[in-house]
Amino acid sequence: MLALNAPKKLVARIQTLVCLVLALLCLIFSLTSSLVKIDFQDTEVINQAMSYLEEAGIDTKNDVGKLPPEINVSAVKMYGVVGTMVKLIKSATNMAKTKDTSKGAKDIMASMYGPDGKLTDGAKNSMLIAAAIATNIMNGSAKGDSKGFGAIVAMVITVLATTTLLIFSMIAPIYYLIAFLAILINVLKHLNDPENATAKVAGRLPKTIFVPIFIMMLACVTTTLTPGSGAMTLFIFVLLSALLNLVATRMHGWDKTNIKYANVIQGVSLASILGYIIYLFNIINTGVFRTFVTSDGFFKATAKAAANAASNAYNGSQIVEKQTFVPDLLMVLVAVAIVMGSYRYFSAVLRRATLSVKPKDQPGHMVYAIILMCSAVLPMVVRSLAHDTTKTPAVSYLAAMKPEQTGALTGALVGLVIILASEIALIVLKNVFCKDITEEEVHQVLTNTALSTQEKVENAKAILEREGQTVPAAEVKENKTEE
């Protein structure tokens, strides 16, 4: 990997300003773009949603019009929804206090309709989102295989996922506002020495990768929720920021020892990033948790085991047949928890690739890689266990997974193998190619503060001159860093 010998201060200035622009773009898109989409395409669902609105006293023909095929939820739209809900709550509270039903009804209508007599945007969005949640509850979860207790649990999961995503769409811009302000402060603080701000600035956006990943993960809990275009845009912006910061680290000069280690660190990190992207999008497509919670066999087995336990306690008898559903449940929940927390590894790798690691952080993440492996291995184990004895012959609780879901699970495992191999390679390559590097030099490389050969010579000259010693007038040849 090459490194040019451009002026370090100029490169650092451009790098910090580009980071600032990207952070601003992330803030704007997190506010205005669609972070979550609620699918609204089934004819039966549309008719039911319109019925809900009409029962609420909304003139669907004039006020709502044709229902859109999907509802794009952005932070700005949700702020309008919350504003409308606050007005409605205030009006309803005043009506309860004054017991003036007529005036209270007028206040409620005034909070929903503008001066032109039409439904305000906030009220319209509130009604559409409320109708979408209602149809998700009644139709989205009920279209699975679960019945009875299983349908109730699937319904609760649907409601929680929908509500969490809608609330998170309002909170998401806060992360980018904090990142933008942190970058802006560092840029202004180091106007004269931008090279001292590059590590802090480059490491801010990778921390916000949590936002799009969380949206993408949670949106796959139900079939009616999908990530919006804004979530993918934010994901791409953070990756673009990491790529540009990586390139910026190769623009200034290095000495031969440090660039060897930088080559190892950044080369391994690029492999880790590729592995995680393969893992992320495949694990999303597996739908393991959704398949598990809507599995008719799982909830039948749960109910049957509970009934057996109650019968044993009441009669003092011992029913031989038992449902071993608890290990499967625990393994799936552990896998889901690991997946939801996997963004930490990706954020750490992005900072490692951009040489913006925190001073006390270690470059290797072998433990992370091993833990991530469990998120794909555990569902494979559950899929191999025939614990559902409500059917003959017994089958796995994940037997309902489609071939493309099974293939995606295998693809996720491939991504994890790449991640694990890259972490092993980091240890091996450092021992092979960077035996002589000191801990101080490692720290300087990881924080992008390593000095080039020319800078070291100039610093030595300055020290000698300050001490009043004569500096030999020898020509210093600049070492071009190429490994």
Side-chain angles (χ1 to χ4, degrees), residues 250-451:
R250 318 301 298 193
M251 291 292 102
H252 59 75
W254 294 75
D255 71 9
K256 288 186 176 181
T257 301
N258 288 340
I259 198 172
K260 282 182 180 180
Y261 187 61
N263 287 341
V264 169
I265 284 290
Q266 294 184 317
V268 164
S269 297
L270 288 174
S272 300
I273 291 170
L274 175 63
Y276 185 85
I277 291 174
I278 294 172
Y279 161 75
L280 173 66
F281 291 102
N282 275 287
I283 206 73
I284 287 173
N285 292 331
T286 61
V288 166
F289 187 61
R290 183 172 66 243
T291 301
F292 194 80
V293 298
T294 57
S295 170
D296 187 37
F298 174 74
F299 290 107
K300 278 185 178 179
T302 306
K304 193 171 182 180
N308 289 348
S311 178
N312 291 341
Y314 182 76
N315 298 323
S317 61
Q318 182 65 39
I319 297 176
V320 176
E321 184 181 8
K322 293 182 179 180
Q323 299 292 339
T324 54
F325 61 91
V326 174
D328 301 69
L329 173 62
L330 291 177
M331 282 189 281
V332 170
L333 291 179
V334 168
V336 170
I338 292 172
V339 168
M340 295 301 291
S342 66
Y343 74 91
R344 295 179 181 275
Y345 173 79
F346 195 44
S347 175
V349 168
L350 290 177
R351 291 200 303 271
R352 186 174 71 188
T354 56
L355 303 184
S356 56
V357 175
K358 292 181 180 179
K360 294 182 180 180
D361 289 351
Q362 296 297 317
H365 303 295
M366 178 66 73
V367 175
Y368 262 134
I370 294 172
I371 292 174
L372 284 177
M373 288 290 292
C374 297
S375 64
V377 172
L378 289 177
M380 288 181 170
V381 172
V382 173
R383 197 169 182 277
S384 68
L385 298 176
H387 280 175
D388 180 11
T389 57
T390 60
K391 299 178 182 179
T392 306
V395 297
S396 166
Y397 294 124
L398 291 178
M401 286 181 69
K402 299 176 181 177
E404 55 267 27
Q405 290 177 294
T406 306
L409 190 58
T410 304
L413 184 61
V414 170
L416 291 173
V417 169
I418 295 174
I419 288 174
L420 185 60
S422 68
E423 295 301 329
I424 294 173
L426 178 60
I427 298 172
V428 174
L429 293 176
K430 181 187 176 183
N431 290 333
V432 172
F433 296 106
C434 309
K435 292 180 180 178
D436 300 330
I437 193 168
T438 65
E439 286 299 318
E440 183 181 359
E441 288 174 322
V442 166
H443 168 74
Q444 290 173 348
V445 171
L446 293 174
T447 55
N448 196 28
T449 55
L451 300 177

Side-chain angles (χ1 to χ4, degrees), residues 22-40:
L22 285 173
L24 179 60
L25 288 174
C26 284
L27 176 60
I28 294 171
F29 274 87
S30 68
L31 283 166
T32 59
S33 63
S34 169
L35 299 180
V36 182
K37 283 195 306 184
I38 303 176
D39 291 334
F40 227 26

Side-chain angles (χ1 to χ4, degrees), residues 54-198:
E54 288 171 359
E55 289 174 8
I58 303 299
D59 186 349
T60 55
K61 185 175 181 181
N62 297 318
D63 293 336
V64 179
K66 186 180 179 182
L67 210 59
E70 59 187 29
I71 299 174
N72 292 304
V73 181
S74 65
V76 171
K77 185 177 287 187
M78 283 305 299
Y79 295 151
V81 168
V82 171
T84 300
M85 296 303 293
V86 169
K87 290 179 183 178
L88 286 172
I89 292 170
K90 282 185 178 179
S91 299
T93 303
N94 291 334
M95 183 173 66
K97 287 181 179 179
T98 60
K99 297 182 180 180
D100 188 343
T101 307
S102 176
K103 184 178 182 302
K106 287 181 180 179
D107 290 341
I108 290 174
M109 296 303 289
S111 64
M112 295 177 64
Y113 290 86
D116 56 357
K118 293 184 178 180
L119 205 65
T120 63
D121 288 339
K124 185 176 179 180
N125 290 332
S126 300
M127 293 300 171
L128 290 175
I129 291 173
I133 293 174
T135 52
N136 281 347
I137 295 171
M138 301 306 298
N139 295 23
S141 58
K143 285 184 179 180
D145 298 328
S146 58
K147 299 175 181 66
F149 176 65
I152 294 172
V153 174
M155 182 188 299
V156 170
I157 291 171
T158 303
V159 175
L160 288 176
T162 305
T163 306
T164 302
L165 276 173
L166 295 180
I167 293 174
F168 188 73
S169 66
M170 294 188 292
I171 300 173
I174 296 175
Y175 290 92
Y176 291 101
L177 177 61
I178 293 172
F180 173 74
L181 292 176
I183 292 174
L184 179 61
I185 290 170
N186 277 291
V187 169
L188 295 176
K189 185 179 177 181
H190 296 280
L191 282 176
N192 296 325
D193 56 339
E195 64 276 12
N196 293 330
T198 54

